[in-house]
């Protein structure tokens, strides 16, 4: 009887663990959200002609370095 209860408890824990893993896989990383939103803002500012091409290129390089740094 105790063996069956222990086995049921292990299955229950495995289900909870799997549910958390699935939720984590489906939710984006906070680092990717911030870098993508920063890049989107940069793209919008360039499209609205608020910044010139030189400034856009410099900032885009900086953002890409930060994004790669967060992924490591």
């Amino acid at each position: 009887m105790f063996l069956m209860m222990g086995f049921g408890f292990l299955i229950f824990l495995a289900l909870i663990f799997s549910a958390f893993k699935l939720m984590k896989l489906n939710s984006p990383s906070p680092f990717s959200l911030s870098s993508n939103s920063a890049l989107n803002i940069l793209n919008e500012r360039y499209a609205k002609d608020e910044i010139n091409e030189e400034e856009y290129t410099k900032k885009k390089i900086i953002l890409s370095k930060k994004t790669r740094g967060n992924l490591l």
Side-chain angles (χ1 to χ4, degrees):
M1 182 164 152
F2 289 114
L3 183 61
M4 291 299 287
M5 287 176 55
F7 184 68
F9 184 68
L10 286 176
I11 290 178
F12 178 72
L13 288 177
L15 287 172
I16 290 177
F17 178 76
S18 299
F20 278 111
K21 279 294 208 182
L22 284 173
M23 286 190 307
K24 189 171 183 175
L25 285 174
N26 290 334
S27 65
S29 152
F31 295 116
S32 66
L33 281 178
S34 64
S35 63
N36 285 340
S37 63
L39 186 58
N40 288 340
I41 291 169
L42 182 65
N43 289 335
E44 287 176 14
R45 289 187 63 203
Y46 181 64
K48 293 177 182 177
D49 208 23
E50 294 177 2
I51 57 175
N52 61 20
E53 185 177 359
E54 181 183 349
E55 188 175 358
Y56 172 78
T57 305
K58 285 180 185 178
K59 291 180 187 253
K60 190 173 181 181
I61 290 170
I62 292 169
L63 284 174
S64 67
K65 287 179 183 177
K66 286 183 180 181
T67 303
R68 275 188 262 136
N70 288 335
L71 295 176
L72 298 178

